Amino acid sequence: MTNRTFTMIKPDATQNGNTGGILEMINAAGFRIVAMKMTHLSETKAGEFYAVHKERPFFGELVTFMSRGAITAVILEKENAVEDFRKLIGATNPAQAEEGTIRKKYATSIGENAVHGSDSDENAAIEGDFFFSKLEQF
Ligand code: ATP
Ligand code: MG
């Protein structure tokens, strides 16, 4: 089991000026940033990142949304990182997200939900390597 997870601050949060606020919540929860970059996903790259959802009815909408503006990709380190980070971000649908979670504070809908969080150690490693070379992971 690793102690790392991967997150993305999504285009809605970037456009709403919430990047700093989200990073502050992440730091306050005890995560250490070990890699970070602001970048942009093309439609092709967004589709590749979320390929697991390609048969879902919302896939087209998801790809359009994720490629419409800048994102910030971040690798985080903390004991029990994957599970603790999923708790910090809250439910996919902000209407169901608990008080004190990032999505409760910053998400606007089930699609535009401010942040991504890896769902397993294996995917955390795959997703981190999608954005960062080994030399960029500290
Ligand atoms: P993420 O993988 O981004 O951390 P998640 O694990 O909470 O989110 P998933 O089921 O993996 O949720 O869905 C991936 C993303 O697809 C969601 O975060 C959201 O942006 C979008 N999405 C999921 N369900 C819907 C839906 N019903 N309608 C529109 N968009 C959706
Ligand atoms: Mg997911």
Side-chain angles (χ1 to χ4, degrees):
M1 185 174 137
T2 70
N3 55 1
R4 291 188 171 192
T5 191
F6 172 79
T7 184
M8 244 192 298
I9 298 172
K10 297 184 179 182
D12 59 325
T14 307
Q15 286 162 341
N16 294 333
N18 294 327
T19 303
I22 290 169
L23 289 173
E24 208 164 281
M25 285 180 79
I26 291 171
N27 277 328
F31 291 87
R32 191 171 78 84
I33 292 169
V34 299
M36 180 161 73
K37 73 171 74 158
M38 195 167 179
T39 183
H40 173 256
L41 287 170
S42 62
E43 290 205 6
T44 306
K45 279 288 185 190
E48 223 178 281
F49 185 86
Y50 279 114
V52 65
H53 295 306
K54 67 175 179 295
E55 305 303 335
R56 308 283 286 276
F58 58 81
F59 182 69
E61 188 187 327
L62 177 60
V63 164
T64 301
F65 162 57
M66 287 304 299
S67 59
R68 83 163 188 229
I71 59 103
T72 299
V74 191
I75 300 176
L76 297 168
E77 188 172 76
K78 182 186 182 293
E79 204 177 297
N80 203 34
V82 167
E83 196 184 333
D84 286 3
F85 193 72
R86 292 296 306 200
K87 278 193 200 127
L88 177 64
I89 68 178
T92 309
N93 184 347
Q96 281 147 24
E98 283 180 41
E99 282 302 333
T101 62
I102 292 174
R103 282 170 169 167
K104 178 74 183 182
K105 188 163 184 190
Y106 293 115
T108 46
S109 68
I110 189 167
E112 304 202 4
N113 56 12
V115 283
H116 164 81
S118 302
D119 58 13
S120 67
D121 290 342
E122 191 193 0
N123 284 335
I126 292 169
E127 292 167 2
D129 291 345
F130 185 90
F131 285 96
F132 301 98
S133 75
K134 291 296 180 200
L135 285 172
E136 297 171 316
Q137 303 180 28
F138 295 96

